[in-house]
Amino acid sequence: MPLQEKDTYQEKDDSSRINPFVRVREDHANELSEDYLELIEDLIDRTGEARTVDIAAKLGVRQATVTKAIARLKREGLVTAAPYRSIFLTNEGKKIASRAREHHRTILEFLIALGVQQDVAEIDAEGIEHHLSPATLAAMQRFIQQQPAAA
Amino acid sequence: MPLQEKDTYQEKDDSSRINPFVRVREDHANELSEDYLELIEDLIDRTGEARTVDIAAKLGVRQATVTKAIARLKREGLVTAAPYRSIFLTNEGKKIASRAREHHRTILEFLIALGVQQDVAEIDAEGIEHHLSPATLAAMQRFIQQQPAAA
DNA sequence: GAGGATTTGTAGCCTAGGCAAACTTTGACG
DNA sequence: CGTCAAAGTTTGCCTAGGCTACAAATCCTC
Ligand SMILES: [Mn+2]
Ligand SMILES: [Mn+2]
Ligand SMILES: [Mn+2]
Ligand SMILES: [Mn+2]
């Protein structure tokens, strides 16, 4: 029995650790969920409820797109929603949302500490937040701490 | 005549500047091209030619996927390729490849200067390289310069 | 409490980017 | 040369995530 039949078999679990491109594709598969959940939590905190129309406006997509995405999140057990009613996070959804928000905040603070203008930092943070390993986030944290809030 | 008919019309040109999520979707539309072109240039430099089988191995996808992607790049005028022969970059393709490689290198150096371990930095760089504005890249450059190659 | 604007949902379409399976071409080598 | 394994392509399939157009429900407002 051969030790490697790599030609046709693709590792599923730790290929992400050895191939950066595979890792990026995996990141992207989680990206939408994270953005939706973070945004839903935000809307609930700030306006009392998360409505399809507001999510669509924030994300810059059509409402039909949001409806479809919500159906998927429901399937995955991350949100609950009754037809024509607003959207709520499950406990699992809340966990992901909080983690996403934290990452987002860390990265934003980091970029600003690095000297990037606020509005540019906001934009870049939204993209890179899904691609950073714990180690890199930790390094960013250290950097923020070292910078004593420059004037 | 109303000043805004925003309800049905979506800005195309500068919406990217005002909505981070739209900007991220645009980034992702360019991501594959950039990665392919950078990789093709790399293979040519290091092995003399860019072959489907090697591109597939590097990206962690099947050869059929690469063939399809190359067809798209050809359509876009970024590569040339005859059937069953290896792949070459057009001038336009070379420009994009070089810019991508430069960004990649800057980000990698930056992460390492920040204290991230080499292999983790390699992985994270591959994801975030497509999401950074010129301003942020410039800030990273400055940071690298300030750090006098820590031991 | 009826009407109508707003919001939500459904149906159908499209493209990008994956895959497997089968076929074709190439080229190394006996 | 002829063979045949390796490389490349084609075909057909799938899912995610966009969109429009239209239908249905909700909920202001009078
Ligand atoms: Mn994001
Ligand atoms: Mn990305
Ligand atoms: Mn990349
Ligand atoms: Mn790269």
Side-chain angles (χ1 to χ4, degrees):
Chain A
M1 42 204 64
L3 256 188
Q4 45 181 14
E5 35 195 6
K6 283 197 264 183
D7 281 7
T8 45
Y9 181 62
Q10 278 203 346
E11 312 287 338
K12 185 69 190 189
D13 38 359
D14 63 344
S15 62
S16 54
R17 242 161 279 149
I18 66 176
N19 187 327
F21 296 105
V22 174
R23 157 69 179 282
V24 171
R25 288 200 297 275
E26 290 171 1
D27 291 342
H28 285 163
N30 303 321
E31 173 156 356
L32 234 338
S33 300
E34 292 172 15
D35 283 339
Y36 268 89
L37 296 172
E38 187 184 348
L39 178 52
I40 289 167
E41 193 182 56
D42 206 57
L43 286 169
I44 291 174
D45 284 358
R46 294 193 344 207
T47 75
E49 60 175 352
R51 305 164 74 236
T52 302
V53 64
D54 296 320
I55 295 171
K58 281 277 189 182
L59 294 181
V61 297
R62 298 299 181 180
Q63 293 188 199
T65 302
V66 173
T67 300
K68 219 198 245 184
I70 296 301
R72 190 169 56 83
L73 293 175
K74 220 154 58 167
R75 234 187 299 128
E76 292 170 358
L78 301 175
V79 307
T80 60
Y84 298 99
R85 305 259 80 106
S86 68
I87 298 139
F88 302 91
L89 299 178
T90 63
N91 284 338
E92 178 66 11
K94 281 179 194 168
K95 266 185 232 164
I96 296 176
S98 300
R99 184 153 27 90
R101 180 200 302 285
E102 231 174 273
H103 287 190
H104 193 115
R105 199 170 141 283
T106 297
I107 293 163
L108 185 58
E109 279 184 31
F110 170 78
L111 289 176
I112 289 171
L114 189 65
V116 179
Q117 211 181 323
Q118 168 98 22
D119 54 344
V120 175
E122 303 262 19
I123 292 169
D124 288 14
E126 197 57 64
I128 71 180
E129 65 182 346
H130 311 278
H131 298 294
L132 295 180
S133 340
T136 300
L137 282 168
M140 290 182 170
Q141 287 279 18
R142 283 197 301 275
F143 182 80
I144 294 170
Q145 242 103 59
Q146 283 169 12
Q147 300 295 101
Chain B
M1 42 202 63
L3 256 188
Q4 45 181 14
E5 35 196 3
K6 284 195 265 185
D7 281 9
T8 44
Y9 182 62
Q10 277 202 347
E11 313 288 337
K12 185 71 189 188
D13 38 359
D14 64 344
S15 63
S16 53
R17 240 161 282 149
I18 66 177
N19 188 328
F21 296 105
V22 173
R23 155 71 179 280
V24 171
R25 288 199 298 274
E26 289 171 3
D27 291 342
H28 285 161
N30 303 322
E31 173 154 358
L32 235 336
S33 300
E34 292 172 16
D35 283 339
Y36 268 89
L37 296 172
E38 187 185 346
L39 178 54
I40 289 167
E41 193 181 55
D42 207 56
L43 286 169
I44 292 175
D45 284 357
R46 295 192 345 206
T47 76
E49 60 175 352
R51 304 166 74 238
T52 303
V53 63
D54 296 320
I55 296 171
K58 281 278 190 182
L59 294 182
V61 297
R62 298 299 180 179
Q63 292 187 200
T65 302
V66 173
T67 300
K68 216 198 247 185
I70 296 301
R72 191 168 56 83
L73 293 175
K74 219 154 57 166
R75 234 187 300 128
E76 292 170 358
L78 301 175
V79 307
T80 60
Y84 297 98
R85 306 258 77 107
S86 67
I87 297 138
F88 301 91
L89 300 178
T90 64
N91 285 338
E92 178 67 11
K94 282 179 194 167
K95 266 184 233 164
I96 295 175
S98 301
R99 184 152 28 90
R101 180 200 302 287
E102 231 174 274
H103 286 190
H104 194 117
R105 198 170 141 285
T106 298
I107 293 162
L108 185 59
E109 280 185 30
F110 171 79
L111 288 176
I112 289 171
L114 190 65
V116 179
Q117 210 181 323
Q118 168 98 21
D119 54 344
V120 174
E122 302 262 19
I123 293 169
D124 288 14
E126 197 56 65
I128 71 180
E129 65 184 346
H130 312 278
H131 297 296
L132 295 180
S133 340
T136 300
L137 282 168
M140 289 183 170
Q141 288 279 18
R142 283 198 301 275
F143 182 81
I144 295 170
Q145 242 103 60
Q146 283 169 11
Q147 301 294 102

